[in-house]
Amino acid sequence: MASARRRLLLTLALATLALALCGLVVGSEGWSFGALTDPALRQVVWDIRAPRTAGAWLTGLLLGLSGAIAQGLFRNPLAEPYLLGSSAGAGLAVVIVLAAGHAGGQAFQLLGADALLRLGLVGAAFVGALGGVSLTLLLARGAQRSTTGLLLAGVVVGFVLGAMADLVTMAAPEALRGKQVFMLGTTGFLGWTSCGALALGALLTLPPAWRFARALDALALGEDSARSLGLPLPQVRMLMVVLLALATGTAVAQAGLVAFVGLVSPHLVRSRVQAPHRFTLMASAATGGVLLLAGDVLARSVIAPEELPVGVLTAVLGGSYLMWLLHRRGAR
């Protein structure tokens, strides 16, 4: 068992290094292997490709961690990072900012529309994601109820906030295009500032997730068994929801709604090795980084110089994997 874990970690490390190198040599014109040695392209590599590559890996890491936490918390293999209303809250906030930006017109442009709008979208997405989760907690009475109640509250909040975002786009149709880019997910706007925010999110979520992962092991035995072991369920539930919201909100704020990475990463880890949640959380985070980094490289290179939305690629690849997995299990 220990050897299987070491092999998985080694595979993830090698895949990360190989894909990071690919991220540095693929650009708008396709693959350029001389970019690392060409002085004329060195600044392009450092200022554009390097932060995008690092940001894609960090975003995937946060989504993979969020997915593993969600599946452990809800004891459901179909749980994903956006279950508690974070995606709907972020989407609504982004649409509001886009509509306000277009309504601001020329005065908004005089203040530097591109920079202000980008900053506003990032901040709004983060606040909206946390706001959606907070509304879910309020509806579920601060997570004092069962995980089922928390899950149902998240579904309700998601539908309501999603409908409100649709109403805003009906009133301001010009915001629809920006909303579509956000909903599809993109790594094209990631810079060193984004990498700093993502790294901070990882530093705030990974250590406590590692520290309290044993609580998810106890929760996997059932809520009654967890209580009999002395586990304070309301406090544990609240802590895991906070970590889930912080990791998801940080990732969504920088890259939009990247699909399937958080859902698929824990499945890939569990299909290779059975381990306690402490290992599963960390391995799922690393797997998420590899998956989104691979998606970013493909998004840049498949139809270069055009670029595909990375969320579309992760949805196609992740959905195809899950369909294959379901088919294989059904054939047994």
Side-chain angles (χ1 to χ4, degrees), residues 46-47 50-52 54-55 58 118-119 122 189-201 250 253-254:
W46 176 253
D47 291 340
R52 179 169 179 173
L58 287 168
R118 170 63 183 155
L119 181 63
V122 170
F189 301 116
L190 294 175
W192 287 121
T193 303
S194 301
C195 290
L198 291 165
L200 179 61
T250 304
Q254 301 299 332

Side-chain angles (χ1 to χ4, degrees), residues 242-253:
V242 169
L243 294 178
L244 173 63
L246 182 58
T248 305
T250 304
V252 166

Side-chain angles (χ1 to χ4, degrees), residues 6 12 21 41-42 51 53 60 72 110 121 124 142 159 186 208 248 288 293 331:
R6 284 195 293 268
L12 291 172
L21 180 61
L41 294 177
R42 197 165 295 163
T53 298
L110 291 175
L121 290 177
F159 275 116
T186 179
T248 305
L293 192 50

Side-chain angles (χ1 to χ4, degrees), residues 216-231:
L216 294 178
D217 292 331
L219 193 59
L221 302 174
E223 294 194 2
D224 292 336
S225 298
R227 288 192 187 94
S228 68
L229 294 173
L231 185 68

Side-chain angles (χ1 to χ4, degrees), residues 118-137:
R118 170 63 183 155
L119 181 63
L121 290 177
V122 170
F126 183 75
V127 172
L130 296 187
V133 175
S134 299
L135 185 58
T136 298
L137 290 177

Side-chain angles (χ1 to χ4, degrees), residues 8 26-27 41 43 72 132 184 188 235 300:
L8 176 61
V26 64
L41 294 177
Q43 187 172 1
L184 292 177
Q235 291 84 345
R300 285 190 261 171

